[in-house]
Amino acid sequence: MDLTVKPGDDFYQYANGVWLKNNPIPAKETRWGSFNVLRDFNINAVKTILNESAENKNAAPGSLEKRVGDFYASGMDSATIEKLGYTPIKADLKRAGSVKDLKAVLNEVALLKTSGTASPMFGFYVGQDRKNVENMIPQLSQGGTTLPDRDYYLKDDARSKKIQEAYKTYITKLFTLTGVPQATAEKNAETIFSLEKKLAEAQMSRVEMRDPYKTYNKFAVAELSKTTPNIDWKPLMAKMKVTGQDTILVSNPKFFTELNSLLTSTPIADWQTYLQWNVLKSAAPYLSSAFVDANFAFTQTLSGQKVQTPRWQRMSSLTDNAIGELLGQLYVKKYFKPEAKARMNEMISNLVKAYEIRIKGLEWMSDETKEKALAKLHAFKPKVGYPDKWKDYKGLAINRNTFFENVRNSGKWSYDDMVSQLGKPVDRTKWGMTPPTVNAYYSPVMNEIVFPAGILQFPFFDPNADDAVNYGGIGAVIGHEISHGFDDSGSQYDKDGTLRNWWTPEDLTRFKERANSLARQFDAYTVLDTIHVNGKLTLGENIGDLGGLNAAYEAFKMTKQGQSNELIDGFTPDQRFFLAWAQVWRMNIRPETAAQLIITDPHSPGEYRTIGAPVNMDAWYKAFDVKPGDKLYIKPEDRIRIW
């Protein structure tokens, strides 16, 4: 803490100042804060498991240790990877570069998707139908671009221009590494950039994509084909391993009509180049060091990262992404204690109780809507630690000596696994994150809150810490995830996870007024020079923080410590509660990463998450004696109260 600062002037600095000064960003990182410290601890824990598995000569064929160990060992065999250069993708490059007509272009797109190679042109996935949640349905989304957001193609300020140039340099570099002459490679870069820019122009913004109704467009497959005469979806979907489906959801139909025009206005030679680029960029991180270094040089421009993440760490993350539920079983056995799960379940039920009290006490909401909100709250399904039913990755071939093939096979396995869900009941045991993940999530269509084992550690959670610290940390995270069920997007789904309005018109208007006030509060925060937080993009997360911290405080006040005034380290229970919250969000960040996240990340920067919710809570003012005249002071009648 930096006690020279007044909490009412800069609560972030007060709670974290000395830590921020003493913890510069390590060269291999783009930011450094509580999440990163815990992720670093976890990745090292995972490293121990991976090394032990890789070195275990007695692991039985087909056992967890053997499969996990072989996958990781293949990624660490840099001598073999180096020797191969770009040999693993030569055949793909040749095939992609020899498509002769539009039908062949589209067939190649399907092949790249189904083989776990790349995802060119548009996004495709299988998921629940938001208006009929017991049904799994194929879904199409905008895509086809490489830069983190459409804005990178459309803006021409100095920052965006620098990134566009670095991107073209990257494309050129990868092509020359496969023996393409420099001049041709530069021409390829222009071709790819201009084609991706046209795809970007057809995309919706991230704020628009937050609207679950706007992105819900159901088509009969035959009807969709009429809107895109150059794409006959029935045979294309069959090539994508989807048969017997007569309807499809499309998030942005305009994108597909634009893509349809692009298909014929773009020469086949340009599509060949574009498809080859998709093969190249997807493979670059897994080829020899020349490709990996080129990939990192581009990442540096985007994020400001100083040195490349060490190989063991990249391979640990890759193993987690590829076979996370095999690795996860080894992880929870070693690092997740049953008592942590028990304490967590107890806190979740306390948070739900607190939320119930708060909903019943809302002065702006009618009884009719309250009843529906409570029904939704009581239908929440919590998942803690790890899945009850693990994925077995049956049929996934892993060989200690063929790294690139392992990566491909896992991509193909995941694609087949996704498509296999069609025509089956929704699997409610499924997890969207792996056990070592330091994060949590809410799923509106499942109406569930999920907390992987990875986040259930200090500074978020410590079974031995006092209640103030746990409720200000993981308690607020639990409350945050519950609040996602009631944020600007999640609140449009009912207790069954169906996209269906359950609000009276008057209550909905009042809710939106309050949400808009919160968006304006965050719009006023500046991040870098002239860049502001985007209050609309971050609205869901900010409602999550405000609702979550209020509910966590309510739950904390039900505990013995919450009702006492006993000092620990000279701080009251309430002060410790808010300090725990503030210290979760401490973060040093590189300016390049900060600039990127403002465009792409629905979360506000850490310093504004620290203060954004407390400045709207009377308890915070009382705890730190914040008075008119203090920089963060907001008049009681102007404080935003939602949940």
Side-chain angles (χ1 to χ4, degrees):
M1 296 174 67
D2 179 355
L3 300 177
T4 65
V5 177
K6 229 169 132 185
D9 282 344
D10 187 342
F11 188 56
Y12 181 66
Q13 196 60 28
Y14 168 77
N16 299 311
V18 172
W19 188 93
L20 291 166
K21 197 170 80 208
N22 293 340
N23 287 274
I25 307 168
K28 71 182 175 72
E29 303 285 345
T30 57
R31 42 185 169 164
W32 196 246
S34 296
F35 274 87
N36 309 83
V37 171
L38 182 46
R39 281 181 184 137
D40 210 55
F41 167 81
N42 265 3
I43 203 88
N44 279 293
V46 164
K47 179 191 189 181
T48 308
I49 294 168
L50 292 169
N51 282 332
E52 284 169 5
S53 302
E55 287 157 17
N56 183 351
K57 298 283 180 275
N58 306 318
S63 66
L64 283 178
E65 287 81 0
K66 174 83 175 137
R67 300 178 80 193
V68 167
D70 282 355
F71 190 96
Y72 179 68
S74 75
M76 292 306 287
D77 181 2
S78 49
T80 303
I81 294 165
E82 212 51 46
K83 237 185 355 236
L84 286 169
Y86 76 101
T87 313
I89 58 167
K90 273 186 175 163
D92 297 319
L93 287 172
K94 190 171 176 210
R95 194 189 60 243
S98 55
V99 290
K100 290 282 178 278
D101 53 28
L102 267 192
K103 190 173 174 210
V105 168
L106 291 168
N107 286 347
E108 181 64 23
V109 167
L111 179 66
L112 291 175
K113 287 181 192 295
T114 54
S115 61
T117 303
S119 185
M121 214 176 267
F122 54 83
F124 170 74
Y125 60 101
V126 170
Q128 282 165 275
D129 180 339
R130 277 171 275 172
K131 292 191 178 179
N132 180 11
V133 290
E134 294 308 324
N135 189 30
M136 300 298 280
I137 188 168
Q139 312 198 23
L140 290 169
S141 60
Q142 61 188 33
T145 47
T146 305
L147 293 173
D149 188 79
R150 64 169 204 164
D151 282 8
Y152 284 91
Y153 296 90
L154 310 181
K155 287 187 164 169
D156 59 2
D157 56 280
R159 198 178 266 118
S160 307
K161 278 209 149 102
K162 182 184 166 199
I163 288 167
Q164 290 167 12
E165 286 316 308
Y167 178 42
K168 289 176 191 172
T169 304
Y170 175 44
I171 300 174
T172 306
K173 180 72 178 163
L174 287 196
F175 274 105
T176 56
L177 286 174
T178 64
V180 171
Q182 180 76 18
T184 313
E186 283 171 9
K187 189 168 149 282
N188 287 354
E190 292 301 335
T191 299
I192 289 157
F193 185 82
S194 94
L195 184 48
E196 289 190 356
K197 186 177 179 180
K198 287 174 188 149
L199 291 168
E201 282 163 351
Q203 292 177 5
M204 279 192 214
S205 72
R206 281 177 192 256
V207 171
E208 289 174 287
M209 294 295 288
R210 282 185 54 73
D211 182 338
Y213 283 97
K214 197 171 193 168
T215 54
Y216 186 94
N217 304 284
K218 194 182 258 186
F219 286 87
V221 174
E223 288 306 306
L224 179 62
S225 297
K226 284 182 189 159
T227 69
T228 59
N230 296 317
I231 311 174
D232 188 349
W233 287 99
K234 195 172 178 200
L236 182 59
M237 279 165 67
K239 284 266 191 307
M240 285 159 59
K241 304 191 178 185
V242 176
T243 49
Q245 297 286 322
D246 54 4
T247 46
I248 192 159
L249 278 178
V250 183
S251 65
N252 177 2
K254 174 182 158 262
F255 176 82
F256 289 91
T257 55
E258 295 289 327
L259 173 61
N260 177 70
S261 314
L262 266 182
L263 281 169
T264 43
S265 64
T266 307
I268 295 293
D270 290 1
W271 284 117
Q272 291 173 342
T273 306
Y274 172 77
L275 291 168
Q276 286 183 315
W277 170 238
N278 275 270
V279 170
L280 262 175
K281 71 172 182 188
S282 305
Y286 317 120
L287 299 173
S288 58
S289 53
F291 289 86
V292 175
D293 294 346
N295 177 265
F296 176 65
F298 175 54
T299 303
Q300 265 186 307
T301 308
L302 279 174
S303 69
Q305 189 176 333
K306 298 293 180 229
V307 303
Q308 195 160 162
T309 311
R311 182 165 199 95
W312 71 263
Q313 192 171 337
R314 283 180 280 134
M315 293 307 124
S316 299
S317 302
L318 181 65
T319 309
D320 186 31
N321 288 334
I323 47 172
E325 290 197 19
L326 297 180
L327 171 61
Q329 291 175 66
L330 299 173
Y331 174 82
V332 296
K333 203 155 57 183
K334 197 161 180 170
Y335 292 100
F336 190 56
K337 306 284 178 286
E339 53 272 27
K341 189 166 186 165
R343 178 83 194 273
M344 191 62 188
N345 284 328
E346 179 199 336
M347 287 184 74
I348 290 171
S349 82
N350 290 350
L351 256 296
V352 169
K353 266 186 226 140
Y355 230 95
E356 184 178 331
I357 293 167
R358 293 192 65 79
I359 289 172
K360 286 178 175 166
L362 292 175
E363 87 295 343
W364 59 269
M365 186 185 273
S366 70
D367 289 346
E368 191 186 334
T369 306
K370 278 181 186 174
E371 200 179 305
K372 301 267 182 28
L374 290 166
K376 178 167 184 174
L377 177 71
H378 292 136
F380 268 57
K381 286 171 217 59
K383 291 178 177 174
V384 176
Y386 51 88
D388 294 329
K389 192 177 95 192
W390 296 97
K391 274 185 196 179
D392 61 5
Y393 301 89
K394 197 169 174 254
L396 170 59
I398 297 170
N399 182 319
R400 204 177 180 95
N401 306 313
T402 54
F403 170 58
F404 192 82
E405 224 164 282
N406 292 340
V407 175
R408 274 286 163 86
N409 289 347
S410 79
K412 183 179 182 306
W413 189 91
S414 296
Y415 185 89
D416 290 344
D417 182 52
M418 172 181 81
V419 171
S420 74
Q421 297 169 58
L422 289 166
K424 287 185 193 158
V426 171
D427 180 1
R428 295 190 175 273
T429 64
K430 209 170 71 203
W431 279 53
M433 286 176 180
T434 65
T437 307
V438 182
N439 212 333
Y441 69 92
Y442 167 74
S443 163
V445 282
M446 290 279 205
N447 197 25
E448 64 181 15
I449 46 175
V450 186
F451 306 94
I455 196 172
L456 304 180
Q457 299 172 69
F458 185 79
F460 298 91
F461 176 65
D462 178 353
N464 306 314
D466 58 305
D467 280 331
V469 170
N470 276 328
Y471 277 93
I474 202 73
V477 173
I478 298 167
H480 172 102
E481 298 308 336
I482 294 175
S483 299
H484 272 315
F486 302 102
D487 71 17
D488 59 316
S489 176
S491 61
Q492 301 184 61
Y493 296 80
D494 69 7
K495 69 179 174 53
D496 306 318
T498 306
L499 186 58
R500 184 193 292 143
N501 178 47
W502 47 271
W503 296 72
T504 67
E506 301 75 25
D507 288 337
L508 191 56
T509 303
R510 285 193 281 265
F511 172 68
K512 284 182 172 165
E513 280 165 4
R514 284 170 154 69
N516 288 336
S517 302
L518 194 62
R520 284 194 297 274
Q521 175 188 328
F522 278 83
D523 276 337
Y525 294 142
T526 314
V527 184
L528 285 174
D529 42 70
T530 57
I531 302 179
H532 280 255
V533 176
N534 181 340
K536 281 206 165 65
L537 176 63
T538 56
L539 184 56
E541 298 298 334
N542 298 333
I543 292 175
D545 283 349
L546 182 57
L549 194 60
N550 269 297
Y553 181 74
E554 184 96 37
F556 173 55
K557 296 313 268 183
M558 297 176 195
T559 67
K560 202 168 140 208
Q561 186 192 15
Q563 288 161 17
S564 82
N565 284 314
E566 188 195 335
L567 299 183
I568 300 180
D569 295 339
F571 293 98
T572 66
D574 276 21
Q575 287 174 331
R576 287 172 67 75
F577 169 86
F578 285 109
L579 286 169
W581 164 258
Q583 292 182 346
V584 158
W585 301 117
R586 60 192 179 198
M587 163 94 64
N588 282 313
I589 185 164
R590 301 201 190 281
E592 297 88 343
T593 299
Q596 179 181 335
L597 292 179
I598 282 298
I599 297 172
T600 61
D601 190 358
H603 302 86
S604 299
E607 61 193 288
Y608 297 123
R609 294 189 76 170
T610 299
I611 61 170
V615 296
N616 289 304
M617 292 173 65
D618 301 344
W620 175 74
Y621 288 82
K622 200 168 151 206
F624 293 98
D625 195 26
V626 179
K627 296 259 191 310
D630 291 347
K631 287 178 187 158
L632 293 175
Y633 182 85
I634 295 173
K635 291 194 298 227
E637 63 272 24
D638 293 337
R639 292 171 200 164
I640 301 160
R641 300 165 210 277
I642 304 182
W643 291 105

